[in-house]
Amino acid sequence: MMRVGFGEDIHLLVEGRPLILGGVKLPYEKGLLGHSDGDALLHAISDALLGAIGAGDIGRLFPPSDPTIKGIDSALILRKCLGLVAKEGYHIVNVDANVVTEEPRLRPHIDGMVAHLASLLGVNSGQVSIKAKTNEGCDAVGEKKAIRCNAVVLLEKDV
Ligand code: MG
């Protein structure tokens, strides 16, 4: 039995924060604002995992109003979602994600991001895809005020 899940997230780019995407710190003069470390890519993937098993969303599991998770490493959010997936008896077939941003150019970092994300997910790099897109100058993302990520995951029931 297979289950598909979809996730999307957007965070504002601000001065004075590191840019962390897929658990990787990228060189850029701004970073993503958030109650957590702002990792919109891990949030989109985490939401896709929860969606695939019908377990709600990360806002419910990790409410922004909770002061104890301020600045939380999003890898911990992902790990909790992976735990729920395993508890339901599913494993990841593959993950496909988009990172939509005008800057920085992600191409030189994609292979490293894929390898790191695969290690966080406990899968092989061949099961993970991250695509870099721009927003053609449109909207807040095109104006370099925000970065948007989306992801689909496919899960398969353990045998
Ligand atoms: Mg988020």
Side-chain angles (χ1 to χ4, degrees):
M1 192 177 153
M2 313 281 261
R3 305 277 302 194
V4 69
F6 173 72
E8 178 161 289
D9 198 22
I10 186 167
H11 281 249
L12 289 172
L13 274 169
V14 295
E15 311 263 358
R17 300 257 305 179
L19 177 59
I20 300 169
L21 282 171
V24 175
K25 193 174 166 189
L26 300 170
Y28 192 52
E29 72 243 29
K30 292 180 179 178
L32 295 172
L33 186 64
H35 187 64
S36 66
D37 61 10
D39 192 330
L41 178 54
L42 290 192
H43 295 176
I45 293 167
S46 296
D47 257 346
L49 289 167
L50 294 180
I53 57 168
D57 57 69
I58 57 171
R60 203 163 83 188
L61 286 181
F62 297 92
S65 55
D66 181 353
T68 67
I69 56 165
K70 189 165 165 50
I72 187 176
D73 178 350
S74 295
L76 297 176
I77 294 176
L78 181 71
R79 196 175 303 160
K80 172 140 188 181
C81 297
L82 287 168
L84 294 173
V85 165
K87 202 168 141 198
E88 289 295 314
Y90 284 88
H91 61 272
I92 292 170
V93 176
N94 74 305
V95 174
D96 183 25
N98 289 329
V99 179
V100 191
T101 181
E102 309 292 315
E103 289 179 354
R105 302 300 290 178
L106 292 180
R107 189 122 333 136
H109 308 292
I110 289 286
D111 288 351
M113 290 168 72
V114 166
H116 185 70
L117 183 54
S119 74
L120 291 179
L121 293 168
V123 299
N124 298 317
S125 289
Q127 292 166 273
V128 176
S129 157
I130 301 173
K131 307 192 295 298
K133 321 271 297 171
T134 75
N135 216 38
E136 297 288 335
C138 299
D139 305 335
V141 172
E143 290 166 10
K144 304 171 192 171
K145 292 177 183 165
I147 291 179
R148 189 173 66 245
C149 296
N150 45 55
V152 289
V153 305
L154 185 66
L155 304 181
E156 183 179 40
K157 194 88 176 172
D158 300 338
V159 287

